[in-house]
Amino acid sequence: MLTVPHTTNYLTEHFGDDAFTTLEGYRARGGYEAAKKAISEMSPADVIELVKDSGLQGRGGAGFSAGMKWSFMPTDGDQPSYLVCNADESEPGSYKDRILLERGGHQMLEGILIAAWATQADTTFIYVRGEYAFPADQLDRCVREAYDAGLLGENIFGKGFKHDVVVHRGAGAYICGEETGLLESLEGKKGQPRKKPPFPAQFGAFGMPTTVNNVETFSHVPHIVKNGADWFKGFGTEKSPGTMIFGVSGHVVRPGLYELPMGTPLDEIVFEHAQGVPEGRKVKGVIPGGMSMPILPAGMLDVPMANESLRERKTMLGTGGVMVMDERTCMVRAACVITYFFRDESCGQCTQCREGTGWLNKIVERIERGAGSEGDIELLLDVCGKMEAKTICAFADAAAWPVQGLLRHFREDFEEHVRQKKCPFPESFEL
Ligand SMILES: Cc1cc2nc3c(=O)[nH]c(=O)nc-3n(C[C@H](O)[C@H](O)[C@H](O)COP(=O)(O)O)c2cc1C
Ligand code: SF4
């Protein structure tokens, strides 16, 4: 029977309730019943089928099917296998995982336990962003509570299943969110992404088969096991089911996190939930999915926040970090901030990325100073083209996309700087 959803914010439903953060409070609200059901009544293959059927897409940026990823894990080998929970969350504009760690640690751990059963993984490493000290402390406490209650460790639910969880704190590098950079860092090496193939399902943490999923991806799983795939598909769009936690920041009256069905129109998020720009000013542009995603101009905000529809507008859902810029914003200054970040965070292994990020930053700063030439705009596009799809990881693409987006929709801002030999937006934010 299809369970009728009584709320569209099932992930964050209890987040105002302090008791939900404790094991006792979580269990009193039905917590760990889904894990018990999965481990006691379902085979690992059944759980994978269920999650595949639900259509759950990874919420860490790429939107890959979670069930499909789990099915790549070998379950018959003698060697250990691992899960990694990616809690690095360093994408500017993204802060949904922080609240899931702070307020929903047990919900995420339950999702991890179900995924561990499905993939028959021995250990999960939770890699937490270095700056997330309080969320990591909350998580440590949840892990201790789960061990004390026999929900982690040996013979879980009396079914002979064993699983361990290790919380690992990062040291604050954006590139350690890229899954193979993360694995290197977890192993105690420099966080430099690996060449693929082999993919983590064949050669992951410590050389063993590994599945990496995002904090939010794991957090959806108990709800799917509890309520079924059809229930989950009752939210969102046909291709992008479920809800997502959208983090709104920038020039809005009510910045914050909003859990809404996938496919919610971007203009509804900006103007209804976040209540639009203060003091009646107009929106100039919105980055829909975290800083590495291409910007959309004010006239294109009637787009559903789902992977398939955003791709049609040459941008992506990413991590759902919605960054709003009002009409006073200088898009060349925005480009200066964005390119500075990527120049600083490149791991330096690939020439196109190491040099390209520096070039992009140098050129946009030159244009902002009023020292740019007409050829600089074409040069920016040329450098972006030389960075895309040519490097070890997608960081270089993520550095090029926002510049391409700014030039696609706000080229006249750049041209005006060149013509006037100064920044024509005196009311914009300071650099
Ligand atoms: C430069 C870069 C940074 C990334 N940072 C993160 C991150 O902070 N958190 C995250 O979950 N995924 C991040 N990813 C995506 C991961 O590589 C990986 O695809 C993801 O953790 C898989 O989880 P999912 O399938 O549940 O989304 C990043 C990718 C790239 C290229
Ligand atoms: S693309 Fe950039 S961040 Fe990724 S491996 Fe190459 S140099 Fe490092």
Side-chain angles (χ1 to χ4, degrees), residues 58-61 69 86 88-90 174-175 177-179 212-214 217 394-395:
R59 299 293 199 255
K69 197 186 269 190
N86 191 341
D88 192 59
E89 195 170 58
S90 306
Y174 176 70
I175 198 56
E178 194 280 341
E179 58 186 10
V212 183
N213 277 126
N214 169 259
T217 313
F395 177 102

PDB file of all heavy atoms in Angstrom, residues 58-61 69 86 88-90 174-175 177-179 212-214 217 394-395, ligand 1:
ATOM      1  N   GLY A  58      22.404  10.667  -5.963  1.00  0.00           N
ATOM      2  CA  GLY A  58      23.372  11.211  -5.007  1.00  0.00           C
ATOM      3  C   GLY A  58      23.171  12.713  -4.858  1.00  0.00           C
ATOM      4  O   GLY A  58      22.921  13.413  -5.835  1.00  0.00           O
ATOM      5  N   ARG A  59      23.303  13.186  -3.622  1.00  0.00           N
ATOM      6  CA  ARG A  59      23.091  14.608  -3.357  1.00  0.00           C
ATOM      7  C   ARG A  59      24.410  15.371  -3.177  1.00  0.00           C
ATOM      8  O   ARG A  59      24.422  16.503  -2.719  1.00  0.00           O
ATOM      9  CB  ARG A  59      22.238  14.782  -2.091  1.00  0.00           C
ATOM     10  CG  ARG A  59      20.833  14.147  -2.163  1.00  0.00           C
ATOM     11  CD  ARG A  59      19.938  14.847  -3.187  1.00  0.00           C
ATOM     12  NE  ARG A  59      18.528  14.571  -2.950  1.00  0.00           N
ATOM     13  CZ  ARG A  59      17.765  13.745  -3.658  1.00  0.00           C
ATOM     14  NH1 ARG A  59      18.285  13.082  -4.677  1.00  0.00           N
ATOM     15  NH2 ARG A  59      16.484  13.576  -3.376  1.00  0.00           N
ATOM     16  N   GLY A  60      25.544  14.729  -3.555  1.00  0.00           N
ATOM     17  CA  GLY A  60      26.853  15.367  -3.382  1.00  0.00           C
ATOM     18  C   GLY A  60      27.282  16.204  -4.576  1.00  0.00           C
ATOM     19  O   GLY A  60      28.342  16.820  -4.555  1.00  0.00           O
ATOM     20  N   GLY A  61      26.484  16.194  -5.664  1.00  0.00           N
ATOM     21  CA  GLY A  61      26.830  17.057  -6.793  1.00  0.00           C
ATOM     22  C   GLY A  61      26.592  16.435  -8.145  1.00  0.00           C
ATOM     23  O   GLY A  61      26.071  17.079  -9.048  1.00  0.00           O
ATOM     24  N   LYS A  69      25.129   2.598  -7.816  1.00  0.00           N
ATOM     25  CA  LYS A  69      26.503   2.647  -7.296  1.00  0.00           C
ATOM     26  C   LYS A  69      26.738   1.494  -6.317  1.00  0.00           C
ATOM     27  O   LYS A  69      27.766   0.824  -6.361  1.00  0.00           O
ATOM     28  CB  LYS A  69      26.736   3.991  -6.597  1.00  0.00           C
ATOM     29  CG  LYS A  69      28.202   4.308  -6.381  1.00  0.00           C
ATOM     30  CD  LYS A  69      28.386   5.558  -5.560  1.00  0.00           C
ATOM     31  CE  LYS A  69      28.477   6.804  -6.395  1.00  0.00           C
ATOM     32  NZ  LYS A  69      28.893   7.978  -5.605  1.00  0.00           N
ATOM     33  N   ASN A  86      30.798  11.087   2.622  1.00  0.00           N
ATOM     34  CA  ASN A  86      31.474  12.335   2.276  1.00  0.00           C
ATOM     35  C   ASN A  86      30.792  13.503   2.996  1.00  0.00           C
ATOM     36  O   ASN A  86      29.721  13.962   2.596  1.00  0.00           O
ATOM     37  CB  ASN A  86      31.434  12.521   0.750  1.00  0.00           C
ATOM     38  CG  ASN A  86      32.323  13.639   0.273  1.00  0.00           C
ATOM     39  OD1 ASN A  86      32.714  14.504   1.060  1.00  0.00           O
ATOM     40  ND2 ASN A  86      32.648  13.637  -1.008  1.00  0.00           N
ATOM     41  N   ASP A  88      32.532  16.352   3.622  1.00  0.00           N
ATOM     42  CA  ASP A  88      33.561  17.398   3.480  1.00  0.00           C
ATOM     43  C   ASP A  88      32.933  18.769   3.215  1.00  0.00           C
ATOM     44  O   ASP A  88      33.498  19.792   3.597  1.00  0.00           O
ATOM     45  CB  ASP A  88      34.537  17.038   2.362  1.00  0.00           C
ATOM     46  CG  ASP A  88      35.751  17.938   2.392  1.00  0.00           C
ATOM     47  OD1 ASP A  88      36.441  17.954   3.424  1.00  0.00           O
ATOM     48  OD2 ASP A  88      35.989  18.659   1.410  1.00  0.00           O
ATOM     49  N   GLU A  89      31.811  18.768   2.561  1.00  0.00           N
ATOM     50  CA  GLU A  89      31.025  19.986   2.265  1.00  0.00           C
ATOM     51  C   GLU A  89      31.809  21.311   2.255  1.00  0.00           C
ATOM     52  O   GLU A  89      31.660  22.153   3.153  1.00  0.00           O
ATOM     53  CB  GLU A  89      29.838  20.127   3.230  1.00  0.00           C
ATOM     54  CG  GLU A  89      28.843  21.156   2.706  1.00  0.00           C
ATOM     55  CD  GLU A  89      27.517  21.183   3.464  1.00  0.00           C
ATOM     56  OE1 GLU A  89      27.516  21.392   4.670  1.00  0.00           O
ATOM     57  OE2 GLU A  89      26.481  21.030   2.811  1.00  0.00           O
ATOM     58  N   SER A  90      32.607  21.480   1.214  1.00  0.00           N
ATOM     59  CA  SER A  90      33.398  22.718   1.118  1.00  0.00           C
ATOM     60  C   SER A  90      32.947  23.624  -0.011  1.00  0.00           C
ATOM     61  O   SER A  90      33.579  24.652  -0.272  1.00  0.00           O
ATOM     62  CB  SER A  90      34.876  22.377   0.902  1.00  0.00           C
ATOM     63  OG  SER A  90      35.319  21.509   1.906  1.00  0.00           O
ATOM     64  N   TYR A 174      39.265  22.068  -0.050  1.00  0.00           N
ATOM     65  CA  TYR A 174      38.105  21.828  -0.918  1.00  0.00           C
ATOM     66  C   TYR A 174      38.279  20.541  -1.721  1.00  0.00           C
ATOM     67  O   TYR A 174      37.338  19.770  -1.886  1.00  0.00           O
ATOM     68  CB  TYR A 174      37.952  23.033  -1.849  1.00  0.00           C
ATOM     69  CG  TYR A 174      36.864  22.929  -2.886  1.00  0.00           C
ATOM     70  CD1 TYR A 174      35.522  22.960  -2.532  1.00  0.00           C
ATOM     71  CD2 TYR A 174      37.185  22.835  -4.248  1.00  0.00           C
ATOM     72  CE1 TYR A 174      34.523  22.891  -3.498  1.00  0.00           C
ATOM     73  CE2 TYR A 174      36.191  22.770  -5.213  1.00  0.00           C
ATOM     74  CZ  TYR A 174      34.863  22.796  -4.832  1.00  0.00           C
ATOM     75  OH  TYR A 174      33.880  22.729  -5.788  1.00  0.00           O
ATOM     76  N   ILE A 175      39.484  20.290  -2.193  1.00  0.00           N
ATOM     77  CA  ILE A 175      39.691  19.148  -3.080  1.00  0.00           C
ATOM     78  C   ILE A 175      39.488  17.809  -2.355  1.00  0.00           C
ATOM     79  O   ILE A 175      39.285  16.779  -2.994  1.00  0.00           O
ATOM     80  CB  ILE A 175      41.074  19.239  -3.784  1.00  0.00           C
ATOM     81  CG1 ILE A 175      41.136  18.317  -5.014  1.00  0.00           C
ATOM     82  CG2 ILE A 175      42.221  18.973  -2.823  1.00  0.00           C
ATOM     83  CD1 ILE A 175      40.059  18.551  -6.039  1.00  0.00           C
ATOM     84  N   GLY A 177      36.947  16.994  -0.943  1.00  0.00           N
ATOM     85  CA  GLY A 177      35.558  16.583  -1.167  1.00  0.00           C
ATOM     86  C   GLY A 177      35.443  15.720  -2.413  1.00  0.00           C
ATOM     87  O   GLY A 177      34.520  14.916  -2.540  1.00  0.00           O
ATOM     88  N   GLU A 178      36.373  15.882  -3.360  1.00  0.00           N
ATOM     89  CA  GLU A 178      36.390  15.009  -4.540  1.00  0.00           C
ATOM     90  C   GLU A 178      36.733  13.614  -4.025  1.00  0.00           C
ATOM     91  O   GLU A 178      37.684  13.439  -3.254  1.00  0.00           O
ATOM     92  CB  GLU A 178      37.440  15.509  -5.537  1.00  0.00           C
ATOM     93  CG  GLU A 178      37.333  14.907  -6.920  1.00  0.00           C
ATOM     94  CD  GLU A 178      37.924  13.525  -7.085  1.00  0.00           C
ATOM     95  OE1 GLU A 178      38.758  13.102  -6.243  1.00  0.00           O
ATOM     96  OE2 GLU A 178      37.578  12.837  -8.053  1.00  0.00           O
ATOM     97  N   GLU A 179      35.963  12.606  -4.451  1.00  0.00           N
ATOM     98  CA  GLU A 179      36.011  11.340  -3.721  1.00  0.00           C
ATOM     99  C   GLU A 179      37.383  10.668  -3.672  1.00  0.00           C
ATOM    100  O   GLU A 179      37.735  10.062  -2.661  1.00  0.00           O
ATOM    101  CB  GLU A 179      34.950  10.370  -4.242  1.00  0.00           C
ATOM    102  CG  GLU A 179      35.039  10.041  -5.700  1.00  0.00           C
ATOM    103  CD  GLU A 179      33.847   9.185  -6.170  1.00  0.00           C
ATOM    104  OE1 GLU A 179      32.879   9.013  -5.413  1.00  0.00           O
ATOM    105  OE2 GLU A 179      33.922   8.688  -7.297  1.00  0.00           O
ATOM    106  N   VAL A 212      31.425   5.607  -2.126  1.00  0.00           N
ATOM    107  CA  VAL A 212      31.386   6.930  -1.495  1.00  0.00           C
ATOM    108  C   VAL A 212      30.017   7.556  -1.748  1.00  0.00           C
ATOM    109  O   VAL A 212      29.573   7.633  -2.894  1.00  0.00           O
ATOM    110  CB  VAL A 212      32.479   7.865  -2.081  1.00  0.00           C
ATOM    111  CG1 VAL A 212      32.468   9.220  -1.358  1.00  0.00           C
ATOM    112  CG2 VAL A 212      33.857   7.224  -2.010  1.00  0.00           C
ATOM    113  N   ASN A 213      29.365   7.967  -0.680  1.00  0.00           N
ATOM    114  CA  ASN A 213      28.102   8.724  -0.810  1.00  0.00           C
ATOM    115  C   ASN A 213      28.110   9.930   0.106  1.00  0.00           C
ATOM    116  O   ASN A 213      28.790   9.952   1.139  1.00  0.00           O
ATOM    117  CB  ASN A 213      26.891   7.846  -0.457  1.00  0.00           C
ATOM    118  CG  ASN A 213      26.411   6.984  -1.610  1.00  0.00           C
ATOM    119  OD1 ASN A 213      26.288   5.764  -1.496  1.00  0.00           O
ATOM    120  ND2 ASN A 213      26.133   7.597  -2.745  1.00  0.00           N
ATOM    121  N   ASN A 214      27.298  10.877  -0.279  1.00  0.00           N
ATOM    122  CA  ASN A 214      27.162  12.134   0.456  1.00  0.00           C
ATOM    123  C   ASN A 214      26.279  11.952   1.709  1.00  0.00           C
ATOM    124  O   ASN A 214      25.458  11.052   1.781  1.00  0.00           O
ATOM    125  CB  ASN A 214      26.534  13.145  -0.525  1.00  0.00           C
ATOM    126  CG  ASN A 214      26.080  14.412   0.120  1.00  0.00           C
ATOM    127  OD1 ASN A 214      24.898  14.611   0.392  1.00  0.00           O
ATOM    128  ND2 ASN A 214      27.031  15.288   0.403  1.00  0.00           N
ATOM    129  N   THR A 217      22.597  11.922   0.895  1.00  0.00           N
ATOM    130  CA  THR A 217      22.195  10.689   0.204  1.00  0.00           C
ATOM    131  C   THR A 217      21.883   9.604   1.235  1.00  0.00           C
ATOM    132  O   THR A 217      20.829   8.965   1.180  1.00  0.00           O
ATOM    133  CB  THR A 217      23.325  10.224  -0.743  1.00  0.00           C
ATOM    134  OG1 THR A 217      23.793  11.332  -1.502  1.00  0.00           O
ATOM    135  CG2 THR A 217      22.858   9.122  -1.673  1.00  0.00           C
ATOM    136  N   ALA A 394      37.222  16.577 -11.839  1.00  0.00           N
ATOM    137  CA  ALA A 394      36.296  17.581 -12.394  1.00  0.00           C
ATOM    138  C   ALA A 394      36.482  18.967 -11.786  1.00  0.00           C
ATOM    139  O   ALA A 394      35.720  19.886 -12.103  1.00  0.00           O
ATOM    140  CB  ALA A 394      34.862  17.110 -12.183  1.00  0.00           C
ATOM    141  N   PHE A 395      37.504  19.145 -10.949  1.00  0.00           N
ATOM    142  CA  PHE A 395      37.737  20.466 -10.351  1.00  0.00           C
ATOM    143  C   PHE A 395      37.968  21.530 -11.427  1.00  0.00           C
ATOM    144  O   PHE A 395      37.438  22.643 -11.338  1.00  0.00           O
ATOM    145  CB  PHE A 395      38.949  20.390  -9.407  1.00  0.00           C
ATOM    146  CG  PHE A 395      39.350  21.692  -8.775  1.00  0.00           C
ATOM    147  CD1 PHE A 395      39.006  21.973  -7.464  1.00  0.00           C
ATOM    148  CD2 PHE A 395      40.097  22.638  -9.477  1.00  0.00           C
ATOM    149  CE1 PHE A 395      39.382  23.177  -6.864  1.00  0.00           C
ATOM    150  CE2 PHE A 395      40.477  23.839  -8.897  1.00  0.00           C
ATOM    151  CZ  PHE A 395      40.123  24.111  -7.590  1.00  0.00           C
TER     152      PHE A 395
HETATM  153  C1  LIG B   1      36.166  19.354  -6.760  1.00  0.00           C
HETATM  154  C2  LIG B   1      35.082  18.481  -6.186  1.00  0.00           C
HETATM  155  C3  LIG B   1      34.647  18.663  -4.879  1.00  0.00           C
HETATM  156  C4  LIG B   1      33.658  17.850  -4.347  1.00  0.00           C
HETATM  157  N1  LIG B   1      33.235  18.089  -3.062  1.00  0.00           N
HETATM  158  C5  LIG B   1      32.267  17.289  -2.529  1.00  0.00           C
HETATM  159  C6  LIG B   1      31.837  17.477  -1.183  1.00  0.00           C
HETATM  160  O1  LIG B   1      32.319  18.367  -0.464  1.00  0.00           O
HETATM  161  N2  LIG B   1      30.868  16.652  -0.703  1.00  0.00           N
HETATM  162  C7  LIG B   1      30.307  15.651  -1.466  1.00  0.00           C
HETATM  163  O2  LIG B   1      29.460  14.895  -0.997  1.00  0.00           O
HETATM  164  N3  LIG B   1      30.710  15.446  -2.742  1.00  0.00           N
HETATM  165  C8  LIG B   1      31.670  16.240  -3.277  1.00  0.00           C
HETATM  166  N4  LIG B   1      32.098  15.993  -4.566  1.00  0.00           N
HETATM  167  C9  LIG B   1      31.519  14.848  -5.293  1.00  0.00           C
HETATM  168  C10 LIG B   1      32.235  13.538  -4.887  1.00  0.00           C
HETATM  169  O3  LIG B   1      33.384  13.374  -5.708  1.00  0.00           O
HETATM  170  C11 LIG B   1      31.331  12.311  -5.043  1.00  0.00           C
HETATM  171  O4  LIG B   1      30.800  12.312  -6.341  1.00  0.00           O
HETATM  172  C12 LIG B   1      30.193  12.278  -4.052  1.00  0.00           C
HETATM  173  O5  LIG B   1      30.657  12.350  -2.723  1.00  0.00           O
HETATM  174  C13 LIG B   1      29.413  10.993  -4.225  1.00  0.00           C
HETATM  175  O6  LIG B   1      28.289  10.974  -3.381  1.00  0.00           O
HETATM  176  P1  LIG B   1      26.793  10.947  -3.939  1.00  0.00           P
HETATM  177  O7  LIG B   1      26.765   9.954  -5.093  1.00  0.00           O
HETATM  178  O8  LIG B   1      25.991  10.484  -2.780  1.00  0.00           O
HETATM  179  O9  LIG B   1      26.472  12.316  -4.391  1.00  0.00           O
HETATM  180  C14 LIG B   1      33.086  16.816  -5.127  1.00  0.00           C
HETATM  181  C15 LIG B   1      33.522  16.620  -6.453  1.00  0.00           C
HETATM  182  C16 LIG B   1      34.496  17.444  -6.979  1.00  0.00           C
HETATM  183  C17 LIG B   1      34.942  17.229  -8.396  1.00  0.00           C
END
